[in-house]
Amino acid sequence: MSVQNFIPTIWSARLNESFKKNLVYGNVVNHDYEGEVKGQGSTVKINSIGAVTIGNYDKSKGIGNPEELDSTQKNLVIDQAKYFNFQVDDVDKAQANVNLLDGGIVEASYGLANVVDQYIAGFYTEVKAGKTIGDDTTPIVPTKDTAYDLLVDLGVILDENDVPEGDRFVVVPAWYYGLLVKDPRYTKDANVMRTGFVGDIDGMSVYKSNNVPNTAGAKYKIIAGHKSAISFAGQVDSVEAYRPEKQFSDALKGLQVFGAKCIKPEALAVLTANKS
C-alpha cells in the first residue's frame, strides 16, 4: 500500500515499525578479514599453517634440520550483493509529521542484516561427516527432558575435535528454547527467567533465532560451533540519495556486498530436530 493512501488521515508523529527477528548469526562468526574487502567479486586469500612436529631431544644427535611448515590457502569470495531502493513522494512528506526517509533507512538496514543472517545460517552444510546428531531421514524429536542433553552432546562433539572452549555458541529456534526453559538445569540461574538472558550450556553461549534453517517447519538445523569456524566479510559499498527524474520525490538507494567461508569445518556440529 502506498504512503499516499494515508493522506486523508491525521498523521502521527511516530512511526509504526515492523516486528523484527533476533539476528544472531552475524555475531557467532569472525570478521577477521573484513577490512580487506574491495567490492563485489574481490577475493580474500586466507592462509592456514599446518601442525608443527614435536620430537624427542637427544643431546648427542641434536635436533636436526628445521622442518618446512605446511600451509594451505582458502579463498573467501565476495560474491553476494544486495540492494535497497525506495522513495518518499514530496506530497507524502508534506502530509506526514515524521521523517519517512529515516524510517525507511532503519527498515532497509534491518532487511540487509536479516539477509546476511540467513546466508550465514546456511553454512550448516559445511559440517564434517560424523559430526551430526540426527539427519533429514531420521531427525531427532527433542522433549523438555532431552533438549538440554542434546545440546550437551553437541558440545561433546566439539570437545572430541579439540575445539577451544572459549567463543563457543549454539543457535536454537524459539520452540527449542521453549523446551529448555522447562528444564530446571537450564533455569537454575534466576536471571534466565527474570531478564530473558539466554544463558549457557556446557560452555556454549545459547542464542535464539527465527533464522535457524528448516524445511517447512521441520528438520531444523541447530548449529553449534566456535567463532573461528566461519569467516565473514562485508561492507556497504555505496549509499546514494537522489531525485528520480519522473517523480517529485526523494529517493535513497544502497548496495551491500559480502561473502563468507567455512575455514574450520571441524569446529562445527549440527543437530537436526523436529518439533515434538
Side-chain angles (χ1 to χ4, degrees):
M1 181 179 292
S2 169
V3 175
Q4 190 172 359
N5 292 332
F6 291 102
I7 290 176
T9 68
I10 297 174
W11 284 78
S12 170
R14 298 180 181 180
L15 285 173
N16 181 22
E17 296 185 8
S18 59
F19 289 115
K20 296 177 174 62
K21 302 175 184 176
N22 290 323
L23 305 179
V24 302
Y25 287 94
N27 296 321
V28 299
V29 296
N30 70 80
H31 298 256
D32 296 344
Y33 310 99
E34 200 147 52
E36 302 178 36
V37 175
K38 302 299 182 184
Q40 186 182 14
S42 63
T43 298
V44 179
K45 295 188 179 296
I46 302 172
N47 292 307
S48 300
I49 302 298
V52 175
T53 301
I54 305 301
N56 294 318
Y57 176 65
D58 185 330
K59 65 180 180 180
S60 63
K61 295 181 180 178
I63 61 175
N65 296 323
E67 68 174 321
E68 184 175 344
L69 290 177
D70 292 328
S71 65
T72 58
Q73 192 174 76
K74 295 182 178 180
N75 294 330
L76 194 169
V77 181
I78 310 303
D79 57 356
Q80 304 292 310
K82 304 295 180 180
Y83 76 91
F84 64 84
N85 184 23
F86 65 89
Q87 67 178 1
V88 176
D89 191 273
D90 289 348
V91 176
D92 297 332
K93 286 193 301 179
Q95 298 291 327
N97 191 25
V98 293
N99 193 327
L100 296 179
L101 277 177
D102 283 353
I105 292 172
V106 171
E107 291 295 326
S109 298
Y110 170 78
L112 289 174
N114 189 42
V115 168
V116 169
D117 216 47
Q118 294 172 2
Y119 170 72
I120 295 173
F123 277 80
Y124 73 86
T125 57
E126 298 289 331
V127 68
K128 282 192 168 184
K131 309 305 177 186
T132 59
I133 300 174
D135 54 36
D136 286 349
T137 303
T138 55
I140 304 298
V141 181
T143 67
K144 64 181 180 62
D145 298 317
T146 63
Y148 186 99
D149 294 324
L150 287 166
L151 298 191
V152 172
D153 292 341
L154 285 177
V156 170
I157 293 175
L158 300 180
D159 289 339
E160 292 175 343
N161 274 332
D162 297 321
V163 176
E165 295 190 5
D167 289 330
R168 287 189 185 184
F169 67 88
V170 62
V171 185
V172 301
W175 63 266
Y176 198 103
Y177 178 71
L179 296 176
L180 289 176
V181 297
K182 295 176 182 177
D183 190 322
R185 292 173 294 176
Y186 186 69
T187 57
K188 60 184 178 182
D189 181 354
N191 289 326
V192 173
M193 296 301 291
R194 185 167 59 245
T195 67
F197 168 68
V198 178
D200 298 287
I201 291 180
D202 193 29
M204 298 182 295
S205 297
V206 182
Y207 294 88
K208 177 177 63 174
S209 173
N210 285 335
N211 279 334
V212 173
N214 65 88
T215 304
K219 302 174 184 176
Y220 286 81
K221 301 299 182 179
I222 296 173
I223 308 171
H226 189 269
K227 199 168 186 177
S228 64
I230 300 171
S231 288
F232 173 86
Q235 68 179 22
V236 176
D237 208 41
S238 61
V239 176
E240 297 180 11
Y242 66 102
R243 297 281 293 180
E245 182 180 354
K246 296 183 179 180
Q247 286 85 30
F248 294 100
S249 62
D250 290 327
L252 193 70
K253 59 183 178 180
L255 175 67
Q256 181 180 34
V257 297
F258 58 92
K261 182 74 174 181
C262 182
I263 59 175
K264 294 181 179 177
E266 66 274 12
L268 294 176
V270 173
L271 163 65
T272 301
N274 280 0
K275 290 183 182 180
S276 57

